[in-house]
Amino acid sequence: MTFSQTVFYVFSAILLFAALRVITARNPVHAALWLVLAFCTSAAIWMQLQAEFLAIVLVLVYVGAVMVLFLFVVMMLDISMARLRQGFWSYLPLGAFVALLLVAEMVLVLGGRLAGFHDVPSPPPLAAGYSNTKELGRLIYTEYVYPFEIAAVILLVAIIAAIMLFAALRVITARNPVHAVLFLVLAFGTASVLWMLLEAEFLAIALVLVYVGAVMVLFLFVVMMLDINVARLREGFWSYLPLGAFVALLLVAEMVIVLGGRYAGFYEAPAPPPLAAGYSNTKELGRLVYTEYVYPFEIAAVILLVAIVAAIALTLRQRKESKYQDPTQQINVRREDRVRIVSMPSEKKEQGHPE
């Protein structure tokens, strides 16, 4: 037996022992530490098998991030050991079934005669100076660069969409109105990032400037300054539930129709033409607004201006039943208008009058 084989068997024994202690240790912190040892031992075996990239990823991602975070979470939680031990037997049948499946897979792979794995040709010998990480990087950035970029974009969009869905869910489930507004700001910011990924820069900028920068900030300060009765808001939750559920069902139906385009004939629509190099969504939108649609744009601007002036005029009109302030009178007020000193003669007490 060579030295390399001896090291492999020793590491394998340590790995099996650590994995066994993960599921048999009664203390969750000890189980997490044994799992860290199992990951590190697996990384050592990968290094011995000349799979340096897998070893580095296993140490950096699982040991350096996931397991350390999990370890601190377990240490900070107040876990009831008695409660964990009581639920052990309820998970035993499922755990035994999964364990038997894993053992069956290992027997089929290691005992290759039953599956015919011995007929597979052995890989060619590695050249001197071969690096698994270097070869993996070469393949990713040459032959598989487009699938790699597509997968990266899909993962990025999925992460951003997950954050937006979580923020939108917290908007309607947060009990504190200020927290709900902050989650709504997060949802708008995340939606603007999605617009940027879809090359709709103008919509992203408008969403940030108008909704996040003005409307939501103003709404946030209004909510913080108002004395909102949270208990009263909770009492009215069930009264709004039927209407909210109806609107939610309508939105879900619209999303199903749009995403499942085969039912609405969306797949028959022609695909948009490819964008030219240096294309700018904002520049193209400005060109269309001020050339082909300049008259509708001006008409809409005039209508909005008239509506704003009319709303201000209706608000400032004098009505008998309305109370309003006159800043001119407030500035020109004098002391004599506010306080009047009245001189009254002193009264004498009558003789024999009881106190």
Side-chain angles (χ1 to χ4, degrees):
M1 183 180 297
T2 62
F3 176 76
S4 178
Q5 292 177 346
T6 303
V7 172
F8 178 81
Y9 287 125
V10 170
F11 283 168
S12 300
I14 296 174
L15 176 61
L16 291 176
F17 177 75
L20 184 63
R21 289 297 297 159
V22 169
I23 60 176
T24 57
R26 296 186 175 183
N27 192 321
V29 178
H30 295 172
L33 292 174
W34 283 113
L35 190 55
V36 170
L37 176 60
F39 283 147
C40 292
T41 311
S42 299
I45 295 177
W46 285 119
M47 288 291 292
Q48 190 181 15
L49 296 175
Q50 297 182 355
E52 303 89 359
F53 181 78
L54 293 178
I56 295 172
V57 169
L58 192 61
V59 173
L60 292 180
V61 177
Y62 287 91
V63 180
V66 178
M67 281 312 304
V68 173
L69 177 63
F70 181 70
L71 180 61
F72 277 99
V73 170
V74 169
M75 292 176 66
M76 288 186 294
L77 291 177
D78 186 14
I79 300 177
S80 177
M81 302 303 301
R83 188 175 180 181
L84 287 178
R85 294 172 185 174
Q86 289 177 358
F88 173 78
W89 297 105
S90 61
Y91 301 112
L92 184 60
L94 179 60
F97 176 72
V98 174
L100 289 176
L101 286 181
L102 293 176
V103 170
E105 291 178 359
M106 293 176 64
V107 169
L108 290 176
V109 172
L110 297 179
R113 297 176 182 177
L114 300 178
F117 292 148
H118 289 333
D119 299 334
V120 178
S122 59
L126 302 177
Y130 173 83
S131 174
N132 178 267
T133 308
K134 181 179 179 180
E135 184 65 19
L136 184 62
R138 186 190 66 80
L139 291 175
I140 287 178
Y141 290 102
T142 54
E143 299 182 14
Y144 300 98
V145 61
Y146 292 111
F148 180 73
E149 293 294 335
I150 293 173
V153 172
I154 292 175
L155 289 176
L156 179 62
V157 173
I159 293 172
I160 297 174
I163 295 174
M164 187 176 68
L165 290 176
F166 171 76
L169 184 63
R170 288 297 296 159
V171 170
I172 60 176
T173 57
R175 296 185 175 182
N176 193 321
V178 178
H179 296 173
V181 173
L182 292 176
F183 276 112
L184 190 55
V185 171
L186 176 61
F188 282 147
T190 312
S192 66
V193 176
L194 288 178
W195 285 119
M196 289 291 291
L197 291 176
L198 295 175
E199 298 183 358
E201 302 88 1
F202 180 79
L203 292 177
I205 296 172
L207 193 61
V208 172
L209 293 181
V210 178
Y211 287 91
V212 180
V215 179
M216 286 311 304
V217 174
L218 177 62
F219 184 67
L220 177 61
F221 279 99
V222 170
V223 169
M224 293 177 67
M225 289 186 293
L226 291 178
D227 187 13
I228 299 177
N229 189 352
V230 180
R232 187 175 179 182
L233 289 177
R234 295 175 185 173
E235 291 176 357
F237 172 78
W238 297 105
S239 61
Y240 300 114
L241 185 60
L243 179 60
F246 177 71
V247 174
L249 289 176
L250 286 181
L251 293 176
V252 171
E254 291 178 358
M255 293 177 64
V256 169
I257 293 174
V258 172
L259 297 179
R262 64 184 64 180
Y263 300 104
F266 292 145
Y267 289 158
E268 300 176 0
L275 302 178
Y279 173 83
S280 174
N281 177 266
T282 307
K283 181 179 178 181
E284 184 66 19
L285 185 62
R287 186 189 66 81
L288 291 174
V289 166
Y290 290 102
T291 55
E292 299 182 15
Y293 299 97
V294 60
Y295 292 113
F297 180 73
E298 293 294 336
I299 294 173
V302 171
I303 293 174
L304 289 176
L305 179 61
V306 172
I308 293 173
V309 174
I312 297 174
L314 291 175
T315 304
L316 297 179
R317 75 183 189 276
Q318 295 183 1
R319 292 179 295 178
K320 294 181 179 180
E321 65 274 8
S322 299
K323 295 181 179 180
Y324 62 94
Q325 295 179 349
D326 191 349
T328 304
Q329 294 182 1
Q330 292 177 346
I331 295 174
N332 296 330
V333 71
R334 297 178 301 173
R335 180 181 62 183
E336 293 79 6
D337 299 333
R338 296 296 187 184
V339 180
R340 186 177 64 176
I341 300 176
V342 180
S343 179
M344 298 181 62
S346 60
E347 298 180 356
K348 295 182 180 180
K349 296 181 181 179
E350 297 180 2
Q351 298 293 334
H353 190 274
E355 296 293 336

